[in-house]
Each structure stands twice: as structure tokens, then as C-alpha cells.
Amino acid sequence: MEENIIFTETERLILRNMVSKDYKDLCKILQDDEVMYAYEGAFRDQEVQNWLDKQMTRYREDGFGLCAVIRKEDGEMIGQCGLTMQEVWGKQVIEIGYLFRKEYWHQGYAIEAARACKEYAFGVLHAKEVFSIIRDNNIPSQNVAKRNGMKPVDMFVKHYRGVDMPHIVFSVKEAGAESKG
Ligand SMILES: CC(C)(COP(=O)(O)OP(=O)(O)OC[C@H]1O[C@@H](n2cnc3c(N)ncnc32)[C@H](O)[C@@H]1OP(=O)(O)O)[C@@H](O)C(=O)NCCC(=O)NCCS
């Protein structure tokens, strides 16, 4: 039996590890062309399954991955947010990622979840710096990163789904790390 392991929570949201039965709710996010604009469009069924499998591998190997974001008031899975390991400047760093169902945009849910992930990365994982790596044309996502205290620090091109995609590297340092430079 798969357990619902809670990663963190906020006033309105619970972030928990995804389980197999989340596939259908995940499709509502990953198979929506508008949500997946920055990923070159909606995923096919197998791509959704691969995405879910990848998060489960991350939970096992890294101890965290993208989580299901559950709205407390009705138990609805409204999006995904969490921490993943990514490569920046040839080293592994912690990234905050977020993707929400369209009908739950513009209500502050993404920034609420992203802030909680930042607190987890600094407070529990003792990260010195956390990142969000965002496609250059994805302004709503960049706005979440900025509201999360991040600044653009670099750019690089990611090759994904057969397309070259310029990405901006946003980051924020842990308060102590910042004063040390
Ligand atoms: C990125 C994404 C999650 C951002 O969603 P969002 O709705 O813009 O962000 P938030 O949920 O933080 O909501 C912020 C908005 O809610 C408003 N808001 C309303 N109530 C609020 C509250 N209680 N607290 C904070 N903001 C609130 C803010 O003023 C802001 O308004 P704006 O949209 O006019 O700027 C969303 O666009 C998305 O899922 N995109 C597709 C997936 C994607 O590209 N992910 C990123 C990959 S790098």
C-alpha cells in the first residue's frame, strides 16, 4: 500500500508525495496545452506516467521530488510543487518547481507552496542557495520566483522535447550565506 507522505504544509495547502492513483489528477495538469506552454504543449499518456515514475524515483533516491499540492478546504489536487535536484554550473543544486491547474491560477497558491519549499530547503535540508530554472518566455513562473525572493543569476539553453529552450537561472541564498558573499 502506498502511503500519503506529507512533505510540508501551509495555511491553505498540503504538499504530499504523489502516489499511483494521482495519475488522473496529474493528467489534468500535464495534458493541458495552456499549462504546458513552456514544455512545448500537452504530454501524451506515457509521458505523464514517466513523469510520475520519475517523482517516485526522486522520493526514494533524493528524499524529495515534485509533490501533489492538495487544497485543504476540499482535498482537491490543484497542482504540483516541490524540490528536485538539477544540474547548474556542473553541480547538483536544489530547484523549486511548480505547475498548477489553470482554474487555480491567480489565487496565490503557487507562491504559498513555493515559499514553503524554500523554507524546507533552507530549514530542513540546510541548503545555502536554492534555484528555479525557468524558460525565458514563462513570465508567470518568473514572477513566482521573484516573489519568492529570487533574482536572475544566469542563462543557459536546455534541449527538451527536441527544442532548444533558453532558460533563466533564478536563485536565492540563505540569509546567513548571503552575508558571507
Ligand atoms: C507558474 C504558475 C504556477 C503561476 O501561477 P500564478 O497563478 O501566476 O501564481 P500564484 O498562484 O502565486 O498567484 C499569484 C497571483 O494571485 C494573486 N493573489 C490572489 N490572492 C492571493 C493571495 N492570497 N496571496 C498571494 N497572491 C494572491 C496575486 O496578486 C497574483 O496575481 P497576478 O496573477 O495578477 O500576478 C502558473 O502560471 C502555471 O502553472 N504555469 C504553467 C506551468 C509552468 O510553466 N510552471 C513553471 C515551470 S518553470
Side-chain angles (χ1 to χ4, degrees):
M1 251 273 282
E2 288 178 304
E3 287 177 84
N4 284 348
I5 297 173
I6 294 181
F7 176 68
T8 190
E9 69 179 288
T10 68
E11 194 186 333
R12 297 182 292 175
L13 308 169
I14 290 172
L15 276 65
R16 63 150 175 82
N17 286 2
M18 286 188 280
V19 292
S20 312
K21 70 175 171 46
D22 291 322
Y23 174 83
K24 274 193 184 150
D25 282 328
L26 200 51
C27 287
K28 293 179 192 163
I29 305 168
L30 300 179
Q31 295 195 323
D32 180 325
D33 260 326
E34 215 179 316
V35 173
M36 297 304 284
Y37 164 77
Y39 296 79
E40 289 300 304
F43 275 10
R44 293 183 296 274
D45 291 350
Q46 189 57 51
E47 289 176 298
V48 177
Q49 189 60 53
N50 293 348
W51 178 282
L52 183 54
D53 292 346
K54 175 107 191 237
Q55 304 319 316
M56 290 174 177
T57 303
R58 285 179 157 139
Y59 304 149
R60 266 197 321 274
E61 293 184 353
D62 301 330
F64 49 81
L66 285 178
C67 292
V69 177
I70 309 297
R71 190 160 71 161
K72 287 181 181 174
E73 72 177 65
D74 56 7
E76 197 64 32
M77 177 171 161
I78 63 168
Q80 296 176 83
C81 184
L83 302 174
T84 61
M85 297 306 295
Q86 302 287 340
E87 191 175 308
V88 173
W89 305 317
K91 58 179 185 183
Q92 292 292 308
V93 302
I94 297 177
E95 183 191 32
I96 302 173
Y98 30 78
L99 302 94
F100 279 71
R101 279 168 61 186
K102 226 176 15 224
E103 53 269 53
Y104 299 104
W105 291 357
H106 311 301
Q107 297 173 62
Y109 290 130
I111 184 58
E112 188 170 321
R115 279 200 185 109
C117 288
K118 183 177 76 172
E119 280 163 22
Y120 189 98
F122 288 147
V124 180
L125 302 177
H126 305 295
K128 296 284 174 252
E129 187 171 14
V130 290
F131 295 78
S132 283
I133 302 151
I134 306 171
R135 198 167 172 186
D136 62 344
N137 58 2
N138 192 349
I139 304 302
S141 178
Q142 292 174 29
N143 286 340
V144 175
K146 287 175 192 165
R147 287 183 184 128
N148 206 11
M150 294 188 171
K151 291 195 168 64
V153 291
D154 203 357
M155 263 194 101
F156 67 89
V157 177
K158 249 192 206 182
H159 193 74
Y160 187 66
R161 297 180 102 195
V163 180
D164 283 334
M165 309 177 178
H167 275 69
I168 303 173
V169 180
F170 283 83
S171 90
V172 59
K173 287 184 177 163
E174 182 261 327
E178 198 148 24
S179 58
K180 285 176 218 131

